[in-house]
Amino acid sequence: MTITATSVDNKSIVNNAISLDTIPLSNVEVTRDSYKGKIDPDWCPGCGDFGVLTAMQKALSELDKQPHEVITISGIGCSSNLPGFINTYGMHTLHGRALAVATGMKMANHEMTVMVTGGDGDGFGIGGNHLMHTMRRNVDLTYIVMDNQIYGLTTGQTSPTSRLGMQTKSTPEGNIENPINPIPLAMVGGATFVARAFSGQQAHLVDILKQAIVHKGFSIVDVFSPCVTYNKDNTYKWFKSRVRKLEDENHDPTDFHAALDKGYEWGDEIPIGLFWKKDLPALHDLEPILHEGGPLAYRPLGISKSQSESLMAEMM
Amino acid sequence: MTNKQDANTDNETLVDFAVGIGGAAGQGIATPGNILARIFARRGLNLNAYNAYQSLIRGGHTFLTIRASDGPVRTMGDSLDVMVSLNQDTMDRHLSVMPAGSSVIYDEAKITPEDTPEGVQLCPLPIKELIVGNKLAANTVAVAVVLNMLGIEFDDLEDALERIFARKGEEVVASNREIANRGYEYAANNFKPFPFKAPRLSKGLAVVTGNEAAGMGALAAGVKFYAAYPMSPSTGVLMYIAKHAREHGVMVRQVEDEIGVMNMVVGAAHAGCRAMTATSGGGFALMTEAIGMSGMLETPIVCIDVQRAGPATGVPTKTEQGDLWQILGAGQGDYPKFVVAPNSQTELFNTIPELFNLTDRYQCPGLVLSDLLISEGTATVDPDALNWQPTIDRGEMIFPNGSADDNPYGGYNDNAYLRYANTETGISPRAVPGVPGHIHVAASDEHDEDGTLISDEFTNPHKRRMMVEKRARKMETALKLIEPPKLVGLGDASATLVGFGSTWGVNLEAMEKLASEEEIDVNQLHIKWIVPFHVDQVSSILKEANKIIIVENNYSGQFARYLRSETGIKADAHIRKYDGEPFMPHHIVDGVKLILGGETNLYVPTHEMMV
């Protein structure tokens, strides 16, 4: 993709922008290394989030996305440190607010590929309200939840996806609250791409992420990403023996009710893969002001004399 | 309109009158109010309108005051010349405060006046006969009667009715015209007109609310993203911008809550848009964490807090200046921001582009302190006083102008570009996402010059200190770019009235009243810019004051404390009001007299109108 040559050349603008020399981009090849971040992840050795980061880097490079055309936006938590570990534009925002920030970003620059990363507490707990509304709006974002069923960065308290009875530092006698099931929640909430993956199954995860990024609309990928330090229940071994790929079962991701039934399956066998997908216009497609003129963020500012005269006339 | 002669065109005496219209919500007070306001403004009269209402859609008591004059009008004034009473409740509430020489208009079949004060002209109308079946036109009759008594030609009303009812069809227009004419003639034959005629001046004026002015200012400033959650009394901004969004290429989003609003605004602003929101105190409280993020990310945003009476849900439809300290303390931590309190609808308009220039330049949040009185209040605005094509200064920004770096993936990895470069001015050139070669992370955690988080693995007190100082240093030059407050009135006055925001008009009018009616000279120092604060100028002006009287719409004297904290100056006396209603000029006059008479140093006026 070439860079849109948009300018802010409104003559009333005092433009202090630094000018850059122009070079063609077409001869630079994107590899996984293009996405290698400057900082080594600060996660515990063995953390499931490493697998998610690697899969994201693979997916983006295999899709031939230019790093500067991608932004990774996170909230707060262990997994939310991810934007620092990947070479894309990044925002590390507030706890639970990544989806709201990302919606603002996507509306202001709908040509950017917007990835949102975070954990189960960030997305399903403190950020639950934003999740619900981002799904119904079908904002074209790829939301990757590194779901470890625990609050890790605060050293091991219960999370909205912790199982009933789970003993954590805030539920020492066992959790008495029902967990959220993100798959039916997302489907009923209006997400148009709903998938689950496992950090321990790299090739499958990369494949799911690629589909999620390509999908036009809100895609959510709930990734089992084991916390090796604070969650002794939901370990690699625990997941590995249970996950079954929907892709091996001839599941039809366009059959809503079948997908919903699959979403409720939980126990000795847990389905992973693409549950549900529907092509609907994304929010930015429905906003006529974005149909031409490039990203809002790059457009010239100010209004013309005839525009202001017309606004003034209404008030007379 | 055809040429019309007006006897008062050359009259040099100022005409100054106020019309009150009262009834229950749902009785259609807005339409007659709107007709009168537009007619006055088209004649070139200045006006100020204030609507006292409650948080309900039907019932209760709504009272609209429209004051007009060929001189400046900055408040709703002190008394009414004519009251239109649409129900018995209005009559019962306000008849006793109507002064001699005023008139009261009402439907004789439905409303009975009791204990009419001496010298008040009762104007009973046989509404049923006049409207002949068109119940919706009852208020049109009242408008016609008021206009007749003010000596305003019927043509003006005809014109207004046509404009207002045009979309309902010629039949509705004709019916209203006929009924209005009957009311107009009825008044001519039965009621005593005012001893003056409302003049016609050469230049028509615009009628705007503060919320509309803020929306207009946002369009002039180049706002491309506006998000909000409806909250009285700020919702008018959302509605104005939403109405004009498509034609001006503005993205408007109504968000699930104010937390989402401010985070979305920060996201859009980070992308490079000028992004804005307006809310009231409760919504602002929810936004504050994200306002702090704007400070940390150095992503400029603008937010208007239209104050209403608090705390909590408070009195949703009443005014107050009780959010000053909330605004000052917005967001945890210590970071630079702008806080500005415009004094009127016109100043609110012009402040929005000015504030965006400052926030773009200094890469920090800009907060506007308005209140219900300004934002839902209506005033005439001279079209020439609005700068629709202001200078737009986006500061040091880097856009993808079709150009690239040697390494388009670079930036974050190669350190060629440092988003948070520790420059001498503290201002670091801001690349928006999408620019090749400028990849970086904008982090709400403390970060290094390149955006790397310092908080997780290796916190570093030297880096932390450097970044705190870098952000703070930005503001060192800001004060020079904003206008210092000026003393208005005689230098050697017996007292100096000090206030911020919406009390400007009432203080100025009180000052004029004190001089002309009481032979007391006071002057006025009104503060627009709260942060940064012109400590030197304010201190040197107030050092010369004989008596400092602070006027503010809150209980605890929030501005008095702020002034003291910034300058060390302790005010001599205070006039405060916290009953939900705005000050009227005589409240200030009474307070100044009592204070100068040594009777008190804290005056809290009683609001006479039960609204």
Side-chain angles (χ1 to χ4, degrees):
Chain A
M1 184 184 149
T2 55
I3 296 163
T4 320
T6 47
S7 63
V8 284
D9 57 1
N10 183 328
K11 60 178 180 295
S12 66
I13 291 180
V14 179
N15 197 346
N16 296 328
I18 293 170
S19 66
L20 304 165
D21 297 320
T22 305
I23 66 144
L25 285 175
S26 50
N27 50 9
V28 190
E29 199 192 338
V30 181
T31 65
R32 205 186 119 197
D33 274 355
S34 310
Y35 281 94
K36 193 179 166 347
K38 178 182 179 181
I39 306 298
D40 287 334
D42 54 12
W43 297 315
C44 306
C47 175
D49 297 349
F50 284 101
V52 179
L53 173 64
T54 307
M56 275 178 74
Q57 290 166 330
K58 277 188 199 159
L60 287 164
S61 59
E62 286 174 21
L63 290 170
D64 214 23
K65 295 266 178 196
Q66 303 280 333
H68 67 269
E69 291 167 2
V70 180
I71 184 161
T72 308
I73 300 177
S74 74
I76 295 296
C78 292
S79 55
S80 284
N81 287 347
L82 190 143
F85 314 139
I86 187 166
N87 191 44
T88 68
Y89 274 95
M91 291 181 84
H92 176 250
T93 72
L94 301 171
H95 196 27
R97 314 302 167 208
L99 287 173
V101 175
T103 300
M105 169 62 62
K106 186 71 189 183
M107 293 303 104
N109 189 343
H110 62 286
E111 290 180 2
M112 291 292 284
T113 297
V114 183
M115 312 289 291
V116 185
T117 56
D120 39 305
D122 190 82
F124 306 140
I126 189 167
N129 198 24
H130 307 307
L131 173 61
M132 189 163 89
H133 293 278
T134 312
M135 293 192 298
R136 78 177 169 86
R137 292 181 184 123
N138 198 28
V139 186
D140 186 17
L141 309 171
T142 303
Y143 185 32
I144 303 165
V145 183
M146 282 156 265
D147 189 348
N148 60 7
Q149 297 85 18
I150 195 82
Y151 276 59
L153 198 56
T154 50
T155 71
Q157 298 79 27
T158 186
S159 119
T161 53
S162 296
R163 68 164 176 85
L164 264 177
M166 184 164 161
Q167 286 181 310
T168 71
K169 285 183 187 166
S170 60
T171 56
E173 314 299 334
N175 174 29
I176 59 167
E177 294 180 10
N178 271 310
I180 278 173
N181 183 339
I183 302 300
L185 176 77
M187 287 182 60
V188 174
T192 51
F193 183 103
V194 180
R196 184 192 276 147
F198 173 38
S199 170
Q201 297 203 358
Q202 194 56 203
H204 180 253
L205 176 57
V206 172
D207 182 53
I208 291 288
L209 289 184
K210 281 166 74 174
Q211 292 181 57
I213 293 164
V214 169
H215 176 72
K216 295 285 174 217
F218 186 77
S219 50
I220 178 169
V221 184
D222 186 43
V223 186
F224 294 140
S225 182
C227 174
V228 294
T229 308
Y230 294 110
N231 190 338
K232 305 299 179 197
D233 280 37
N234 310 104
T235 59
Y236 280 100
K237 198 177 151 197
W238 191 90
F239 284 117
K240 203 172 173 187
S241 64
R242 285 171 172 78
V243 295
R244 300 283 181 274
K245 292 191 192 95
L246 288 168
E247 288 76 7
D248 297 341
E249 301 180 13
N250 292 323
H251 168 65
D252 175 6
T254 64
D255 182 337
F256 186 82
H257 293 281
L260 209 51
D261 287 343
K262 281 284 168 202
Y264 278 107
E265 283 179 17
W266 188 272
D268 291 341
E269 293 204 345
I270 300 173
I272 60 171
L274 176 60
F275 286 80
W276 165 243
K277 182 180 179 335
K278 187 173 174 68
D279 289 323
L280 285 175
L283 185 62
H284 69 268
D285 292 326
L286 295 169
E287 179 54 70
I289 63 167
L290 297 182
H291 291 173
E292 51 186 48
L296 271 184
Y298 303 160
R299 295 185 191 177
L301 308 190
I303 64 176
S304 70
K305 198 118 183 116
S306 68
Q307 282 179 314
S308 58
E309 277 164 6
S310 137
L311 289 170
M312 217 50 234
E314 277 175 34
M315 300 296 179
M316 300 296 283
Chain B
M1 275 193 295
T2 50
N3 286 336
K4 277 179 292 189
Q5 294 300 313
D6 191 301
N8 280 49
T9 306
D10 300 314
N11 192 343
E12 284 179 16
T13 330
L14 291 184
V15 159
D16 189 335
F17 59 91
V19 182
I21 308 174
Q27 278 195 291
I29 286 162
T31 306
N34 209 356
I35 295 176
L36 289 174
R38 293 282 175 132
I39 288 175
F40 297 157
R42 285 198 155 207
R43 293 177 80 90
L45 299 180
N46 289 294
L47 72 85
N48 187 294
Y50 168 71
N51 191 27
Y53 70 111
Q54 293 100 42
S55 191
L56 44 72
I57 307 301
R58 292 278 183 273
H61 176 61
T62 295
F63 198 81
L64 174 69
T65 306
I66 305 171
R67 180 185 174 203
S69 170
D70 46 353
V73 183
R74 305 179 193 97
T75 73
M76 63 170 153
D78 283 316
S79 67
L80 296 172
D81 296 283
V82 57
M83 174 168 80
V84 177
S85 207
L86 298 179
N87 61 4
Q88 184 69 43
D89 177 49
T90 302
M91 186 66 96
D92 296 344
R93 282 169 182 267
H94 308 306
L95 182 58
S96 65
V97 299
M98 293 302 289
S102 69
S103 300
V104 176
I105 298 165
Y106 60 99
D107 180 352
E108 63 180 11
K110 291 185 180 159
I111 298 165
T112 317
E114 272 174 47
D115 304 325
T116 310
E118 186 94 15
V120 172
Q121 177 184 213
L122 292 176
C123 307
L125 293 170
I127 292 285
K128 208 175 164 188
E129 289 163 36
L130 294 169
I131 60 175
V132 282
N134 185 351
K135 281 185 186 164
L136 294 172
N139 295 350
T140 304
V141 176
V143 170
V145 171
V146 171
L147 292 175
N148 178 277
M149 293 170 78
L150 286 168
I152 291 178
E153 302 78 5
F154 187 71
D155 296 16
D156 276 18
L157 178 54
E158 216 178 338
D159 218 50
L161 291 173
E162 237 160 72
R163 265 180 288 128
I164 297 221
F165 294 112
R167 61 195 157 90
K168 295 189 177 172
E170 178 49 36
E171 209 175 311
V172 176
V173 174
S175 165
N176 272 277
R177 191 190 297 128
E178 199 188 312
I179 290 163
N181 194 37
R182 273 201 288 276
Y184 196 81
E185 292 304 320
Y186 189 87
N189 296 329
N190 293 282
F191 308 138
K192 195 171 79 173
F194 287 103
F196 57 84
K197 286 185 113 192
R200 180 190 302 281
L201 308 172
S202 55
K203 185 178 176 187
L205 301 173
V207 181
V208 299
T209 66
N211 280 333
E212 287 164 346
M216 289 153 67
L219 295 179
V223 167
K224 295 281 181 217
F225 188 88
Y226 184 87
Y229 186 86
M231 185 173 187
S232 300
S234 68
T235 315
V237 187
L238 169 64
M239 294 191 289
Y240 181 86
I241 298 181
K243 188 175 152 195
H244 296 95
R246 291 268 160 90
E247 62 188 281
H248 291 280
V250 182
M251 170 73 67
V252 174
R253 305 262 45 99
Q254 182 178 325
V255 186
E256 56 272 14
D257 56 32
E258 287 90 347
I259 300 176
V261 168
M262 186 48 76
N263 281 281
M264 231 181 246
V265 164
V266 169
H270 185 73
C273 283
R274 280 192 162 177
M276 185 174 116
T277 184
T279 184
S280 189
F284 187 85
L286 294 184
M287 291 179 181
T288 53
E289 189 185 22
I291 291 171
M293 177 165 70
S294 151
M296 191 57 146
L297 264 47
E298 304 195 47
T299 295
I301 58 95
V302 167
C303 174
I304 304 171
D305 175 6
V306 181
Q307 299 167 98
R308 70 189 209 188
T313 345
V315 197
T317 60
K318 297 296 170 186
T319 198
E320 196 164 274
Q321 294 181 303
D323 290 359
L324 176 59
W325 283 89
Q326 178 179 221
I327 281 246
L328 290 169
Q332 64 272 32
D334 195 6
Y335 64 96
K337 57 177 171 264
F338 288 96
V339 179
V340 59
N343 66 18
S344 62
Q345 289 81 1
T346 304
E347 197 169 89
L348 182 52
F349 175 98
N350 289 319
T351 296
I352 303 294
E354 182 186 8
L355 186 59
F356 266 106
N357 285 351
L358 289 165
T359 57
D360 265 344
R361 188 161 170 161
Y362 292 100
Q363 300 179 16
C364 68
L367 308 176
V368 181
L369 205 45
S370 182
D371 59 20
L372 180 140
L373 182 61
I374 291 178
S375 290
E376 285 197 339
T378 301
T380 36
V381 167
D382 179 353
D384 296 333
L386 304 182
N387 182 7
W388 280 98
Q389 277 78 35
T391 301
I392 291 175
D393 177 0
R394 302 226 58 192
E396 296 183 44
M397 283 186 80
I398 303 166
F399 283 99
N401 291 325
S403 45
D405 197 74
D406 284 349
N407 174 9
Y409 314 147
Y412 194 46
N413 278 328
D414 61 18
N415 272 348
Y417 168 68
L418 298 175
R419 165 65 186 97
Y420 299 105
N422 183 31
T423 61
E424 205 176 314
T425 59
I427 298 167
S428 323
R430 173 163 82 104
V432 300
V435 183
H438 290 71
I439 288 172
H440 64 274
V441 174
S444 97
D445 266 33
E446 186 59 282
H447 40 262
D448 203 347
E449 290 179 88
D450 64 358
T452 308
L453 276 59
I454 69 160
S455 57
D456 284 330
E457 207 169 358
F458 303 106
T459 52
N460 177 326
H462 298 164
K463 283 185 181 173
R464 164 66 179 172
R465 176 177 168 175
M466 174 183 81
M467 295 310 286
V468 170
E469 289 175 352
K470 178 200 107 66
R471 287 189 294 268
R473 193 162 65 239
K474 289 190 294 194
M475 298 302 269
E476 284 173 5
T477 55
L479 199 62
K480 281 184 235 146
L481 298 183
I482 60 181
E483 209 177 334
K486 286 191 187 79
L487 190 70
V488 173
L490 296 172
D492 187 30
S494 42
T496 300
L497 298 176
V498 184
F500 71 104
S502 65
T503 54
W504 166 77
V506 78
N507 283 347
L508 201 54
E509 186 164 343
M511 187 179 117
E512 290 163 1
K513 276 195 152 194
L514 282 160
S516 63
E517 293 169 16
E518 313 283 343
E519 295 188 352
I520 298 172
D521 281 329
V522 299
N523 52 27
Q524 183 193 19
L525 180 68
H526 203 75
I527 309 294
K528 174 181 175 183
W529 289 96
I530 309 284
V531 180
F533 194 73
H534 287 96
V535 174
D536 293 345
Q537 290 89 336
V538 169
S539 300
S540 69
I541 290 169
L542 291 182
K543 223 181 287 164
E544 305 297 319
N546 286 316
K547 203 174 239 323
I548 299 168
I549 303 175
I550 296 184
V551 179
E552 54 187 314
N553 254 136
N554 61 60
Y555 175 82
S556 68
Q558 296 193 3
F559 186 78
R561 276 183 283 142
Y562 181 62
L563 180 72
R564 197 172 176 185
S565 74
E566 289 295 305
T567 64
I569 294 172
K570 188 170 179 291
D572 300 298
H574 307 270
I575 301 176
R576 294 180 193 158
K577 200 162 182 289
Y578 38 84
D579 53 21
E581 293 300 321
F583 284 107
M584 293 164 96
H586 72 276
H587 295 144
I588 313 294
V589 169
D590 293 348
V592 169
K593 280 160 65 184
L594 287 169
I595 289 163
L596 290 179
E599 292 185 41
T600 185
N601 56 16
L602 171 61
Y603 178 67
V604 181
T606 300
H607 201 79
E608 298 87 350
M609 300 281 285
M610 284 305 288
V611 284

